[in-house]
Amino acid sequence: MPELPEMQGVAERLDAVLAGYRLVAADVLQFSALKTVQPAPDDVVGSEVTGVGRRGKFLVLDLGGPRILVHLSQGGRVTVEDPPKTTRPRTGVVRFRFEDAPSVLIVEYGTERKAGWWVLADGDDGPLAKLGPEPDSEEFRRFVATSDDTRRLHTTLRDQRTVAGIGRGYTDDILNRARLSPFASLGNLDGDERARLLDAVHDVLAEGLDAERERTGGLPTKLGDRWVVHHRHGEPCPVCGTQLQRVSYESYELTYCPDCQTDGNILKDRRMSRLLK
């Protein structure tokens, strides 16, 4: 799933291509992906793109009041079409066409939690209203410094209502960098551990964005090639060389280093525990 660095990177690339150009069509290729009824897509046709940005994991096309949001979920991707196209690919979700500019095609390669998009009237925040602060905000820094949250850190960092933009991949890398167990809770961390967590959030996301800015165009089919720990169980920890372990859940898994993060303890893997019964 694309996370903050990927979405920020693609927003910057689209802004460079589309800002100042008029939207001439929003071709609906998959009707279930459009999550709003009013305004209709045709209502914003003719609007000038004043900028393309990001909020959490949402891509935001600012149309001078109204906005179009795109959430790629797990398998959604972005293709910049230069020259513009009018085909109807089987995986297509929506194509945005612009006057004298490349078209932008949103495609879907996943089968669950599919990509969606919203057309918002001026002043309507839609799904953005439920998002927590950005990871680089003072609000998030205060939360980490003072919160007695009892949830597991891995859950806390992935909760978009707590902090917007971080998902499973960067959470694994952040906790490994901070040398913190994914099963620890924020409320039980001391001051040094909280400082390490904040530093890791900042550094890991910044490094991810630096790498993402090396891309051109949209977002490729395969992502996650720049994660250090996530999905690398069985490989050596990049810090200490200990074999990375995982905990598997129904629809995802987390990866950690026993030596760096859990005092040598192997966390209980519920899926494997069931298989061994």
Side-chain angles (χ1 to χ4, degrees):
M1 175 186 293
E3 301 180 30
L4 187 155
E6 289 81 18
M7 298 309 295
Q8 180 63 35
V10 77
E12 293 174 2
R13 296 191 292 275
L14 291 181
D15 183 73
V17 171
L18 302 178
Y21 292 93
R22 294 191 179 278
L23 177 71
V24 298
D27 300 327
V28 181
L29 305 176
Q30 187 182 115
F31 286 96
S32 62
L34 178 58
K35 305 303 180 183
T36 48
V37 176
Q38 293 293 333
D42 286 347
D43 293 339
V44 296
V45 166
S47 301
E48 180 181 308
V49 179
T50 58
V52 181
R54 174 201 60 80
R55 176 73 170 99
K57 299 179 187 178
F58 288 86
L59 194 65
V60 183
L61 277 72
D62 194 326
L63 302 174
R67 290 174 292 177
I68 292 176
L69 307 183
V70 176
H71 194 288
L72 298 178
S73 196
Q74 286 186 316
R77 296 295 183 265
V78 179
T79 300
V80 177
E81 301 175 322
D82 191 10
K85 296 181 180 180
T86 58
T87 56
R88 297 181 65 88
R90 182 177 58 85
T91 57
V93 173
V94 59
R95 174 181 283 115
F96 302 109
R97 292 189 282 124
F98 304 88
E99 186 177 34
D100 300 322
S103 56
V104 174
L105 175 68
I106 308 300
V107 294
E108 173 61 64
Y109 295 106
T111 57
E112 298 179 1
R113 286 175 281 187
K114 295 185 177 182
W117 62 292
W118 294 251
V119 181
L120 302 181
D122 188 8
D124 182 5
D125 284 337
L128 303 183
K130 297 180 180 180
L131 295 181
E134 293 288 317
D136 62 351
S137 67
E138 182 59 34
E139 183 179 351
F140 178 64
R141 285 190 285 269
R142 286 197 303 269
F143 171 77
V144 173
T146 63
S147 175
D148 59 358
D149 196 313
T150 60
R151 293 174 297 170
R152 292 174 173 175
L153 286 176
H154 205 277
T155 300
T156 301
L157 291 178
R158 291 184 295 107
D159 182 0
Q160 300 304 296
R161 296 166 298 179
T162 300
V163 56
I166 305 175
R168 300 167 191 161
Y170 285 101
T171 293
D172 280 353
D173 282 13
I174 287 166
L175 294 177
N176 178 261
R177 180 77 61 90
R179 306 191 309 279
L180 295 171
S181 169
F183 284 8
S185 65
L186 190 55
N188 289 330
L189 300 187
D190 60 29
D192 177 67
E193 291 168 327
R194 291 171 188 252
R196 293 206 315 260
L197 178 58
L198 279 173
D199 287 345
V201 168
H202 175 272
D203 293 347
V204 168
L205 294 180
E207 291 166 12
L209 180 55
D210 285 345
E212 189 59 33
R213 283 172 171 157
E214 297 175 359
R215 292 194 203 273
T216 58
L219 282 177
T221 305
K222 186 177 178 63
L223 293 174
D225 51 316
R226 289 158 179 157
W227 284 322
V228 176
V229 171
H230 185 63
H231 278 170
R232 297 188 183 275
H233 62 276
E235 298 182 18
C237 170
V239 177
C240 71
T242 300
Q243 187 180 72
L244 295 171
Q245 301 292 325
R246 65 179 172 178
V247 178
S248 297
Y249 293 93
E250 189 68 29
S251 59
Y252 73 97
E253 64 184 35
L254 62 85
T255 310
Y256 68 98
C257 171
D259 189 55
C260 291
Q261 296 175 251
T262 61
D263 295 324
N265 296 316
I266 302 298
L267 301 178
K268 185 176 181 181
D269 187 324
R270 294 181 178 178
R271 181 178 296 180
M272 290 303 298
S273 297
R274 288 197 299 270
L275 290 174
L276 294 172
K277 285 183 178 179

